[in-house]
Amino acid sequence: MKIDMSYGSGGKQTSHLINEVFLKHFNNRILSRMEDSAVLNVSGKIAYTTDSFVVTPMFFPGGNIGKLAVFGTVNDLSMMGAIPKYLTAGFIIEEGAELETIEKIAESMALAAKEANVKIVAGDTKVIEGNGGVYINTSGIGEVIKSGVSISNCRVGDVIILSGYLGEHHAAIMSKRMEIENNIVSDCAPLTSIVKKLIAEDINIHCMRDVTRGGLATVLNEVAANSQCKVEITEQALPISNEVRGFCDILGLDPLYMANEGKMIAVVPQSQADRALKAVRSSKYGKNAAIIGTIKEGSGVMMTTALKGSRRIDVLYGEGLPRIC
Amino acid sequence: MTLQQVKDELLHYDGKPVKIMEVCGTHTASIFKNGIRSLLSPKIQLISGPGCPVCVTAPAYIDRLVEFALQEKCCVLTFGDMMKVKGNRMSLTEAKAVGGKVRILYSPLAALQIATEDRDTQYVFAAVGFETTTPIYALMLEEILKNNIQNLKLMTSIKTIIPALSYICENEKEIDAFLCPGHVSVITGSAVYEELAKKFQKPFVVSGFEGEHILAAVYEIIKQISNHRPGVKNMYASAVTEEGNQKAVALIQKYFEEADDYWRGIGKIEDSAMKLKTEYRKYDLGSSFEEVEEHLPKGCRCTDVILGRINPVECPLFQKVCSPFNAVGPCMVSTEGACGIWYKNCG
């Protein structure tokens, strides 16, 4: 069954969509009250964020737009040392979208919320003219359990841990768009367990950042600019799977600039580096973590290449498109 | 000789200063990616050449694509690189924003399917490139003919690199040697450089794209110069043969013929383009080989960059006025252009 404009009218079709799709999957006591807003019990400092998701294709190896919408916001909260608690979900649906597609998205959002231990407590649906596209906005609240984590808080001597392989989400999406067959799967995942392990180990985390659009290069430049320091990384230390490396070689892409959806960096004191690395590696989504660099005095991001040359790493500008020659 | 020995020799080279032009944008990108400059003696200078087809494409060509994209039931198919290049009026990105129909493709062959599935729209493929991409355009035309696809045509701006190299050798005496493009050489073969090497008595070394390949090629150039024995050397033998890909060359020659062409930033170079042969001209939509020479914006030194007279950082506009977000000159517009690559890595 296809969604038409009547599903956004606020009438019978709208309630069908809400009751039979969203409430069915997101069901929890707060949402099912169907009040105008959710009333929440929260204690202490909260982290609060929002993000919108417009990915095409909506379904890709390793996930879909719904899973991404939950984990994206969950990860943004986690990076501030918070335990994600509640999400809201707003859907903008273009007419022509299949009801079945919406249900699949809702189903995987529910699964993702369950894995990340968050509740979807409020939502909204709008139907607009178009061609079957679906866009999702999520916002989220988390309880801060580790304060002082900040992009401005890196200190000279700190080490940078990257939680796993680079570029998998980007490569999976591009493969699907370009109809290239391979085994690359998006890394779309919640980072909560890694953060919890680091906190449980009592690591003095100076900074955490999820490595999403713009890739590692952009995140490291943000670190350098905000903490007024120089970031030095080693090319050979970067965890990159052979498949993604091959994919990049063929298309002329650079894994440093490719998007990820389940990777983060943690900047920690040198003295706790080994313990922190062990903690990350013991987490479900951190098995391939590595120490990739250090914080130095100065500015910008420099990389020692495999040939032992030095290369300046700038932020991503424009789009990461395949070369033509 | 081990890699370490090559690196030691190059880092401590103390002979006469050598200027090497890397012709291909992919080489320029790899030189930065691998930090090659930091591994060379200050006496070895790497200079970027004209190896970005997008950068040397005339603005009038973009204008024709834009005009087409804005017409009813017409759609431009293009590689991503072309999207941001400004014509005299606007870029394809801007044309798309005002309702023009433009689609980015990753392979020209995907155009065949798109045109077949939507016969009501007239499609044109922005066929830009060097020798490397030309066989694919020939293949595309072959499929158009075979399947009688009426609504897909080419607008070509295909350049050939050998005439450009010859032009640089004639006019730029300060370049001591050339790092020849790997991908182009796969098609042309390494023998095409023999005449140039002999005439101008300079090393022409074909290199692959890995950092090690480039170091080895630079070492070969230094060796040839030190021994006063310049010539052609193929250091990318895993992909490049002496005679090239004859099948691809035959395919190009079947559909295309040489023409004089205008290079943005340089001017007219004889026999430096490939245009569709007369019998296939009906599959050409709006290609032109008689572009009027444009004057580069005031202060822009793209001509000097393309011809290897200066590095991008020496241009007074570089980073100050000219950036990928506001490209003043042609070398900044593409990710493969010398200024674009330098900006990204030296910004």
Side-chain angles (χ1 to χ4, degrees):
Chain A
M1 199 160 44
K2 283 190 194 300
I3 301 281
D4 58 35
M5 295 302 281
S6 65
Y7 279 84
S9 65
K12 200 171 173 191
Q13 278 93 337
T14 312
S15 6
H16 175 81
L17 192 60
I18 292 170
N19 292 322
E20 300 305 316
V21 179
F22 297 129
L23 265 182
K24 181 174 140 193
H25 291 289
F26 301 163
N27 193 25
N28 59 66
R29 276 193 300 176
I30 304 169
L31 184 68
S32 59
R33 285 192 195 121
M34 295 293 285
E35 302 281 6
D36 271 357
S37 57
V39 177
L40 310 170
N41 277 322
V42 192
S43 61
K45 266 192 184 171
I46 62 162
Y48 177 34
T49 189
T50 182
D51 205 347
S52 299
F53 299 83
V54 296
V55 64
T56 51
M58 283 190 276
F59 293 82
F60 47 82
N64 61 51
I65 189 169
K67 187 176 174 185
L68 218 54
V70 170
F71 288 152
T73 292
V74 158
N75 290 344
D76 283 346
L77 293 171
S78 306
M79 293 305 102
M80 294 310 293
I83 299 297
K85 303 290 278 187
Y86 304 109
L87 300 187
T88 69
F91 292 81
I92 295 176
I93 303 168
E94 288 181 358
E95 60 181 341
E98 294 287 344
L99 192 61
E100 202 181 308
T101 306
I102 310 291
E103 176 137 24
K104 266 191 203 161
I105 291 171
E107 199 178 340
S108 65
M109 286 179 82
L111 275 174
K114 193 175 171 196
E115 182 177 0
N117 202 20
V118 289
K119 288 186 172 65
I120 299 171
V121 293
D124 178 53
T125 309
K126 293 283 183 294
V127 179
I128 59 169
E129 286 180 7
N131 198 21
V134 177
Y135 312 101
I136 305 174
N137 170 273
T138 52
S139 71
I141 282 176
E143 286 177 357
V144 177
I145 60 162
K146 173 84 186 168
S147 54
V149 180
S150 165
I151 189 85
S152 311
N153 199 25
C154 302
R155 296 164 205 179
V156 172
D158 284 356
V159 301
I160 303 158
I161 296 170
L162 174 67
S163 68
Y165 290 146
L166 285 177
E168 287 168 332
H169 178 71
H170 198 128
I173 294 280
M174 282 199 79
S175 303
K176 176 94 185 196
R177 282 188 197 160
M178 297 169 73
E179 296 174 10
I180 296 174
E181 281 183 32
N182 54 36
N183 296 320
I184 300 172
V185 172
S186 167
D187 60 345
C188 181
L191 297 167
T192 28
S193 61
I194 296 179
V195 175
K196 279 184 188 165
K197 288 251 177 164
L198 285 170
I199 293 171
E201 271 295 319
D202 205 19
I203 302 295
N204 185 13
I205 310 162
H206 288 162
C207 167
M208 291 190 284
R209 199 79 158 181
D210 53 345
V211 186
T212 53
R213 278 186 308 166
L216 181 67
T218 303
V219 167
L220 294 178
N221 272 282
E222 286 166 358
V223 166
N226 287 286
S227 290
Q228 296 181 332
C229 62
K230 178 178 169 187
V231 171
E232 276 189 8
I233 58 168
T234 309
E235 186 172 22
Q236 278 175 313
L238 296 175
I240 301 165
S241 73
N242 287 335
E243 270 177 314
V244 168
R245 200 182 289 279
F247 184 81
C248 291
D249 283 349
I250 291 167
L251 292 173
L253 296 167
D254 189 338
L256 282 173
Y257 293 93
M258 289 166 76
N260 309 269
E261 286 295 343
K263 296 290 152 33
M264 60 177 278
I265 56 157
V267 183
V268 302
Q270 166 80 55
S271 57
Q272 300 180 343
D274 291 342
R275 213 150 47 84
L277 180 66
K278 214 172 145 193
V280 177
R281 281 188 177 162
S282 69
S283 312
K284 186 177 174 190
Y285 297 109
K287 291 190 169 52
N288 298 306
I291 291 174
I292 59 159
T294 50
I295 303 291
K296 296 272 173 73
E297 267 181 51
S299 62
V301 181
M302 292 300 292
M303 181 166 86
T304 303
T305 67
L307 285 171
K308 307 282 180 241
S310 66
R311 171 188 169 195
R312 188 179 184 283
I313 308 291
D314 203 352
V315 294
L316 173 74
Y317 66 88
E319 272 182 277
L321 291 166
R323 290 192 302 257
I324 72 169
C325 67
Chain B
M1 199 160 188
T2 66
L3 177 63
Q4 193 52 50
Q5 285 167 321
V6 168
K7 281 166 71 178
D8 288 343
E9 292 266 346
L10 292 176
L11 190 61
H12 300 114
Y13 170 76
D14 198 25
K16 88 173 189 59
V18 176
K19 260 190 185 181
I20 303 169
M21 175 179 274
E22 84 268 2
V23 178
C24 170
T26 313
H27 275 147
T28 308
S30 180
I31 285 164
F32 277 110
K33 193 173 161 216
N34 290 289
I36 298 288
R37 275 191 183 77
S38 67
L39 298 169
L40 302 178
S41 146
K43 290 198 164 179
I44 305 172
Q45 199 183 348
L46 296 177
I47 297 271
S48 306
C52 166
V54 175
C55 302
V56 292
T57 297
Y61 175 80
I62 309 292
D63 292 344
R64 289 195 298 276
L65 287 174
V66 166
E67 198 184 319
F68 185 80
L70 292 171
Q71 285 173 28
E72 281 287 308
K73 299 207 164 193
C74 293
C75 179
V76 171
L77 305 173
T78 176
F79 287 120
D81 287 45
M82 290 297 289
M83 291 297 289
K84 282 196 298 179
V85 189
K86 274 203 191 296
N88 293 305
R89 208 173 135 204
M90 60 175 94
S91 66
L92 285 173
T93 301
E94 288 162 331
K96 198 170 174 224
V98 295
K101 286 164 289 308
V102 184
R103 282 181 68 172
I104 297 176
L105 299 190
Y106 300 105
S107 158
L109 299 180
L112 298 164
Q113 197 185 343
I114 290 170
T116 311
E117 284 170 3
D118 176 15
R119 301 268 183 183
D120 294 335
T121 301
Q122 177 64 53
Y123 289 94
V124 67
F125 195 93
V128 174
F130 286 134
E131 289 91 331
T132 337
T133 18
T134 320
I136 309 170
Y137 298 138
L139 214 56
M140 182 174 161
L141 185 57
E142 198 149 87
E143 288 297 312
I144 290 174
L145 291 165
K146 202 163 85 186
N147 298 302
N148 193 24
I149 302 171
Q150 302 285 338
N151 59 328
L152 174 60
K153 294 184 178 184
L154 303 176
M155 194 187 292
T156 68
S157 176
I158 302 170
K159 306 266 196 284
T160 49
I161 204 76
I162 307 299
L165 279 183
S166 178
Y167 179 93
I168 289 170
C169 287
E170 286 285 357
N171 295 285
E172 306 302 321
K173 308 291 181 204
E174 279 194 15
I175 310 286
D176 299 302
F178 293 87
L179 200 69
C180 300
H183 294 147
V184 166
S185 305
V186 170
I187 308 292
T188 62
S190 59
V192 292
Y193 305 107
E194 290 289 355
E195 205 183 311
L196 290 173
K198 212 167 153 189
K199 185 173 171 192
F200 296 100
Q201 285 296 300
K202 287 176 180 175
F204 283 75
V205 176
V206 181
S207 170
F209 295 98
E210 298 296 332
E212 291 90 336
H213 291 157
I214 293 173
L215 283 178
V218 172
Y219 179 72
E220 170 65 24
I221 286 171
I222 296 297
K223 209 170 70 182
Q224 286 190 14
I225 288 176
S226 303
N227 297 337
H228 306 287
R229 296 182 70 176
V232 175
K233 177 97 178 180
N234 178 12
M235 305 280 287
Y236 193 26
S238 58
V240 175
T241 59
E242 204 180 329
E243 70 279 8
N245 185 338
Q246 292 293 326
K247 224 169 152 181
V249 171
L251 198 61
I252 294 172
Q253 284 170 349
K254 185 173 170 190
Y255 296 106
F256 292 94
E257 61 188 6
E258 285 177 351
D260 297 347
D261 203 4
Y262 170 79
W263 290 54
R264 195 175 187 183
I266 299 181
K268 189 172 158 183
I269 301 180
E270 275 180 25
D271 295 333
S272 66
M274 299 303 282
K275 66 176 179 183
L276 284 171
K277 284 182 169 174
T278 318
E279 58 264 47
Y280 302 111
R281 209 59 62 76
K282 65 174 177 174
Y283 296 98
D284 185 306
L285 199 147
S287 305
S288 168
F289 298 88
E290 286 155 19
E291 310 290 9
V292 184
E293 187 159 352
E294 49 141 6
H295 294 287
L296 291 172
K298 203 176 165 199
C300 171
R301 296 191 63 188
C302 274
T303 302
D304 295 331
V305 170
I306 290 173
L307 295 174
R309 292 174 195 149
I310 60 166
N311 273 325
V313 281
E314 295 169 62
C315 172
L317 305 188
F318 185 76
Q319 281 183 338
K320 296 184 185 80
V321 185
C322 187
S323 74
F325 311 102
N326 177 37
V328 177
C331 299
M332 190 61 93
V333 294
S334 159
T335 47
E336 288 284 298
C339 294
I341 297 170
W342 278 70
Y343 183 93
K344 188 179 157 193
N345 292 283
C346 306

